[in-house]
Amino acid sequence: MIGKPLPLRDLGFRSVLELVAEMPEVVRVCPYEKGTFVLKAIADETTKAIAKLVARQRRSARARKTAAVRADAASLSKNAQSFPQRGRAPVLPVTVKAELQDLLS
């Protein structure tokens, strides 16, 4: 947040995982893919309302993305029938495009 590395050694830790392991009431370490981890904040009484709003926002964003992906798929199938394939750049599958959009957002 402040643009400087965490002073882990000064605090007596060798890694960020060691630091967050000492704060189970604040953050949860969740295994992800291929040996990576995701750190999830744990809401307390003062932040539960915010956590609910964020969760609702994520769900509605997913719904919008799903609708956009379906619209793109319909548009692509219409355009694919009306244009010849020679000389065109390859079109990414809709699922790949959606995953890239998720990564970039």
Side-chain angles (χ1 to χ4, degrees):
M1 277 175 44
I2 59 172
K4 296 179 183 177
L6 290 172
L8 295 173
R9 295 210 194 291
D10 296 342
L11 296 171
F13 299 101
R14 290 180 292 181
S15 70
V16 173
L17 287 177
E18 278 186 12
L19 172 69
V20 297
E22 292 293 322
M23 300 184 295
E25 67 282 351
V26 176
V27 66
R28 183 176 41 200
V29 179
C30 301
Y32 193 58
E33 299 174 344
K34 300 179 184 176
T36 60
F37 297 94
V38 174
L39 303 178
K40 293 188 177 184
I42 297 175
D44 63 6
E45 291 302 318
T46 60
T47 59
K48 278 188 179 182
I50 296 169
K52 286 180 183 179
L53 290 172
V54 170
R56 211 176 320 149
Q57 179 181 3
R58 286 184 189 145
R59 279 194 295 267
S60 64
R62 280 189 206 123
R64 283 192 304 269
K65 285 180 187 176
T66 301
V69 166
R70 287 184 182 144
D72 282 349
S75 170
L76 285 174
S77 65
K78 287 179 185 177
N79 289 338
Q81 293 171 358
S82 61
F83 292 109
Q85 289 295 321
R86 62 188 140 99
R88 290 183 63 198
V91 176
L92 287 175
V94 174
T95 54
V96 173
K97 185 177 178 182
E99 288 177 10
L100 287 172
Q101 286 175 333
D102 282 343
L103 283 172
L104 295 172
S105 66

